[in-house]
Amino acid sequence: MHLSATPPPGRRGRSGRRRHRVAAAGAACALVLGGALTAAVPAHAGPVTPVAAVPAAITTAVHQAYVVKLIDTSPQGRTFPETDAQLLAHVDGALDYWVDQSDQAISSFTRTAGLPTINGDCSASNVHSSAWTAGHALFPGVTFGGATGNHLIVLAPSGCGPTGIASIGSLANGLNSGGDVFVSDSPSIIDTSLVHELGHNFSFDHANAVRCTASGGTTTCAEEGGRDFYSVMAASVIGLAGRPPFLSTALGSFERARLGVTKTCEVPALSLGSGQHDVTATYDLWGRGTKDGTRGLKIVDPTTSDTYFLDWRNKSGRDAGAYYAESLVAASGFVPGVTVDKVKALSGGNSQSVLQAITQATSPRNLSLQAAETYTAGGLSVRVDATGAATGTAQVTVTLTNPSGTNTTLPAQQGTAAVTGTPTAGATLTAVPTNWTAGSCYRYQWLDNGTAITAARAATFTVPANPAGHVYTVRITGQQSGYQPRTVTSP
């Protein structure tokens, strides 16, 4: 990571008041894990700033972190368990995360060199806000918050004030925004805490989850704040003794779509048009932690207009070190699978994701869909037909039904399939969709002498050894909302 000793050119200006409401003192974003989840997760107590309903255009934002270290002046005399170099390495990792997960929509995220100090009373309830005031004073002429891209990060001793807290940015600024962050140095969660708190600066609220408990034959389900541990916007979790700290997951489909950084066909949308009765479509989802292909779905329930996002969390790529990827925490219900997030509207056009509980016979209930399981709500049905290995796909079939609709005929798509490449051992064949209806996204299935090849569902296929006597073709399915899916096979 490039280090800057002074603020970058053009970043100095008149100091101004932060335009965001700040969470109340003492609100924390951490949870202790002791084989299962035990402690409560308080959400930020401050109200969310009213924001625009859609994010502003991203202008390849340049960001700068101003990092300071708080020295405890209270009688407690709290200290840091890590060196300055270790502290700055944690910060660098969090900045790199947001550059990577924004697909460089944040073009750079640098920090000032060194680690200047401020004094603060760790026994005070407002230690974080007073620390931000002192931190701002170290950088006269620098404006934090708003659409400045300037972030003040205060690193505090372990046990000093809230584990992590941040200003809440507006969706109107999104990835262009800046803000204030306060994180105490708890080595097992500082990495995830920094990523999480910067997420608040970028306008995200907590990722909640519907959790179900059974007692006396009665099941009760309730939404719990910060409990979606597939998301970076959940509370940070202190890991198991002797195990490495948990790492931040990849941004989910809801988060990426909300910030406007999804790629073409990364998160296809499915909804019913006016008067349409039903539609069924099957998708192959690649792991959310990977970088290419269809990695999620956006679905609108035709009977309620609720929006849902699906992700295939298969502990691959960025997700490899995530909480849900640790087999020893399966008792918590967070395991690899297809997640269902419902979008919850907040004030001023803001929103947050709420992980949905999966109804099934196993105990405890998993919080993601496994193979052959179905989630239903209103006019929505999601069935996981199959889940692949960590390097494969999950096949998901979605059905939308509007009982009041009368139109059962969808317009047809157009398109053909072709294959380029030479079918010799070790060569790469490429599927080529041709002349398709504009806006289509594609599923691929490679065939060997007309028989589907297990797990060969990418746009490319590597020819195995001894290809003599084998004819390799590809079956392409074109899909887009409002059209009947079309499947064709190459010659």
Side-chain angles (χ1 to χ4, degrees), residues 152-286:
L152 176 69
I153 299 177
V154 175
L155 301 175
S158 179
C160 179
T163 302
I165 195 167
S167 56
I168 297 185
S170 72
L171 181 56
N173 296 324
L175 285 177
N176 298 311
S177 66
D180 296 324
V181 168
F182 180 101
V183 172
S184 64
D185 182 22
S186 298
S188 66
I189 60 171
I190 188 173
D191 292 310
T192 53
S193 293
L194 283 165
V195 168
H196 173 109
E197 302 307 338
L198 286 169
H200 285 310
N201 281 4
F202 295 130
S203 80
F204 286 117
D205 207 288
H206 282 130
N208 295 349
V210 176
R211 300 295 301 272
C212 299
T213 57
S215 178
T218 300
T219 299
T220 303
C221 299
E223 180 181 332
E224 298 181 359
R227 284 278 190 157
D228 177 6
F229 295 107
Y230 296 103
S231 170
V232 296
M233 297 314 297
S236 295
V237 181
I238 298 174
L240 299 165
R243 297 273 181 164
F246 297 119
L247 302 180
S248 298
T249 58
L251 288 181
S253 294
F254 162 78
E255 293 150 343
R256 285 177 57 80
R258 190 170 176 277
L259 291 175
V261 297
T262 52
K263 300 176 182 178
T264 301
C265 293
E266 176 188 335
V267 186
L270 183 65
S271 61
L272 286 182
S274 177
Q276 191 175 327
H277 183 273
D278 64 87
V279 65
T280 296
T282 299
Y283 302 84
D284 290 322
L285 302 184
W286 295 92

Side-chain angles (χ1 to χ4, degrees), residues 9-94:
R11 307 308 271 179
R12 293 188 178 276
R14 180 176 57 85
S15 295
R17 183 182 302 171
R18 290 191 307 279
R19 305 177 191 175
H20 320 304
R21 292 192 179 98
V22 178
C29 296
L31 185 69
V32 176
L33 171 68
L37 304 182
T38 55
V41 186
H44 282 302
V48 177
T49 303
V51 295
V54 294
I58 298 170
T59 56
T60 52
V62 175
H63 285 257
Q64 179 80 353
Y66 297 77
V67 188
V68 301
K69 179 179 179 181
L70 185 147
I71 305 301
D72 184 18
T73 59
S74 74
Q76 298 169 328
R78 295 187 180 276
T79 59
F80 288 84
E82 297 184 296
T83 66
D84 287 2
Q86 289 172 314
L87 292 172
L88 292 176
H90 291 306
V91 172
D92 289 346

